Amino acid sequence: MPRKPSLASLSINAGAPPPTEGSAFRHGPEFASTFHLSGDVDPDSYQYGRFDQPTWRSLENGFAQLEGGDTVIFPSGMSAASAILTSLVNPGDTILLPSDGYKPVRHYTQQYLVRFGIKLKTVATADIDSFDFKGISLALLETPSNPMLDTFDIQAAADKIHNEGGLLAIDNTTLTLLGQQPLELGADISMSADTKAVNGHSDVLFGHVSSKDQSVSDKIRDWRKYSGNIPGPMETWLVHRSLSTLDVRLQRMCDNALQLAHVLIEHPKVLSIRYPGLSSDPSYATAKKQQLNFGFIISFELDNKAMADKFLEACQLVYVATSFGGVHSMAERRARWGTDDIAQGVVRFSAGCERPDDIINDVVAALDTL
Ligand SMILES: Cc1ncc(COP(=O)(O)O)c(C=O)c1O
């Protein structure tokens, strides 16, 4: 029996049309606000551009194959998160969010859902393994968390929330579908801001939501249709094209992050470091158990704000920006936003696809100026 190809190999072609003689390997983006449609409406036909269209369907099929669940695409990670938070709860339900996760997700819930009778609870990611999920209807959690890279056991959290009749959604942005498989690990929903590593070229915002439960993905798809939060065909096509190189990019990025983490942990100017791939890191055991790689994000602490700013200025190859997952190494002093409860000197570093010796030399030279 031939062995089934890995997800990594499948990602090169996932969702592309089957090979037929004389046809292109990929179709281009299809631009259409409406489609020829006469007589009675066939639910499987394309009808109107806000409902469904061919470029979306190709990428959704590709994601579905890799995630293991029906997939709905969105124009940003936040629209994917909003779809989950808005379409799966009722007044009186309690949503659980990480207190140390991506702040706009908590902001959206507080600002737009709590006033309609939804309750919000928060928990630190490091405390989730011992958390009692009593009364939680929906949890949207991140592992590893961003920016401090704490982890929790997805399967254990899924078992606990299922006992309460609730749903577990995992924001898988920091690892991507090739770095962790939330649905395989027991979560009900896997979502991602594909703006980050899945697209990877810092030129498109995008997101998706996947679920094995058809009633969940039907509600998510309906929310997209009626809220009008739809992605453009060009962005959809660019993300699909990027998916083909995700595995090779991740390999270089994660290798760079691991090598850099080993250098940073020894550097006298670095007070502390978090990287789940270091065996001394509190996230190591869980990451090794449930992740397919250790990721490309490192957080490390320098003495103070001035030192962190000076370090960032001194880097030549590293772009200073508030994102992660791109082909360029990127870093920022995270406390500049005032949104995370972290020390002023913490730098979030996203390793890119540069040659490892180049990126390590650049970072060490910048640290040596301090
Ligand atoms: C973990 C996480 N989830 C969701 C988002 C939102 O994604 P987007 O900026 O595409 O809306 C981000 C953005 O930084 C993020 O880091």
Side-chain angles (χ1 to χ4, degrees):
M1 265 268 279
R3 198 169 61 85
K4 247 176 85 181
S6 62
L7 287 179
S9 293
L10 291 174
S11 68
I12 294 170
N13 234 12
T20 50
E21 208 57 37
S23 72
F25 281 29
R26 288 173 186 280
H27 298 315
E30 202 149 334
F31 298 99
S33 60
T34 195
F35 299 84
H36 296 294
L37 181 73
S38 50
D40 292 338
V41 175
D42 169 1
D44 290 329
S45 67
Y46 296 114
Q47 304 148 15
Y48 185 65
R50 183 161 37 76
F51 306 168
D52 193 7
Q53 65 104 283
T55 312
W56 294 0
R57 216 182 267 188
S58 303
L59 179 56
E60 288 184 342
N61 288 341
F63 277 148
Q65 188 182 2
L66 303 172
E67 290 273 16
D70 186 27
T71 298
V72 187
I73 55 172
F74 286 97
S76 68
M78 275 312 297
S79 55
S82 313
I84 295 168
L85 294 166
T86 313
S87 63
L88 302 176
V89 286
N90 294 305
D93 284 353
T94 302
I95 291 177
L96 179 72
L97 297 176
S99 54
D100 50 351
Y102 188 56
K103 173 84 185 277
V105 172
R106 294 195 297 286
H107 184 84
Y108 174 82
T109 308
Q110 190 69 50
Q111 183 92 349
Y112 300 106
L113 301 178
V114 167
R115 68 195 161 113
F116 294 119
I118 308 289
K119 295 180 206 136
L120 170 63
K121 245 190 186 175
T122 60
V123 57
T125 303
D127 296 338
I128 292 174
D129 283 336
S130 57
F131 186 74
D132 175 5
F133 283 78
K134 200 163 177 42
I136 303 297
S137 316
L138 171 70
L140 173 54
L141 304 172
E142 287 176 50
T143 178
S145 61
N146 162 37
M148 291 315 288
L149 305 167
D150 281 320
T151 51
F152 66 90
D153 184 324
I154 293 177
Q155 183 70 65
D159 290 346
K160 283 197 250 176
I161 200 166
H162 291 156
N163 281 340
E164 295 296 314
L167 294 170
L168 176 64
I170 298 294
D171 180 337
N172 203 27
T173 302
T174 53
L175 289 175
T176 83
L177 71 191
L178 293 185
Q180 182 167 262
Q181 290 264 285
L183 302 184
E184 191 67 26
L185 292 164
D188 303 282
I189 298 158
S190 171
M191 75 137 272
S192 159
D194 303 316
T195 309
K196 312 299 181 190
V198 172
N199 183 62
H201 295 75
S202 305
D203 49 10
V204 168
L205 283 108
F206 213 79
H208 77 264
V209 177
S210 306
S211 179
K212 283 188 198 295
D213 182 338
Q214 193 64 45
S215 70
V216 166
S217 57
D218 285 349
K219 285 181 191 157
I220 299 280
R221 192 167 266 111
D222 254 22
W223 185 83
R224 178 180 68 183
K225 177 175 174 180
Y226 294 112
S227 70
N229 269 281
I230 56 164
M234 189 68 206
E235 285 79 2
T236 306
W237 185 82
L238 283 167
V239 171
H240 203 166
R241 186 173 161 152
S242 294
L243 186 59
S244 303
T245 55
L246 178 60
D247 181 52
V248 282
R249 285 184 284 112
L250 280 179
Q251 276 197 21
R252 174 63 73 82
M253 289 155 71
C254 298
D255 279 358
N256 280 355
L258 184 61
Q259 289 193 43
L260 191 57
H262 280 296
V263 171
L264 288 172
I265 201 168
E266 298 295 339
H267 199 283
K269 289 287 184 323
V270 175
L271 301 186
S272 61
I273 170 169
R274 292 297 310 270
Y275 180 64
L278 292 172
S279 57
S280 54
D281 192 274
S283 294
Y284 180 75
T286 307
K288 204 163 160 47
K289 180 176 143 193
Q290 70 188 11
Q291 296 178 197
L292 302 167
N293 63 43
F294 290 118
F296 46 81
I297 302 175
I298 301 171
S299 285
F300 60 95
E301 188 179 350
L302 301 175
D303 207 26
N304 52 46
K305 172 178 187 295
M307 282 256 209
D309 285 339
K310 189 167 176 207
F311 162 75
L312 292 168
E313 256 173 55
C315 290
Q316 304 284 310
L317 275 182
V318 180
Y319 285 27
V320 182
T322 186
S323 196
F324 57 84
V327 289
H328 309 91
S329 285
M330 256 181 274
E332 72 169 332
R333 194 177 63 76
R334 194 62 193 165
R336 67 178 168 162
W337 295 98
T339 49
D340 304 297
D341 185 20
I342 51 174
Q344 288 294 325
V346 169
V347 173
R348 181 182 69 186
F349 192 98
S350 170
C353 292
E354 301 85 359
R355 294 292 298 263
D357 44 346
D358 289 331
I359 202 66
I360 289 169
N361 284 342
D362 195 48
V363 169
V364 171
L367 285 173
D368 289 345
T369 65
L370 303 181

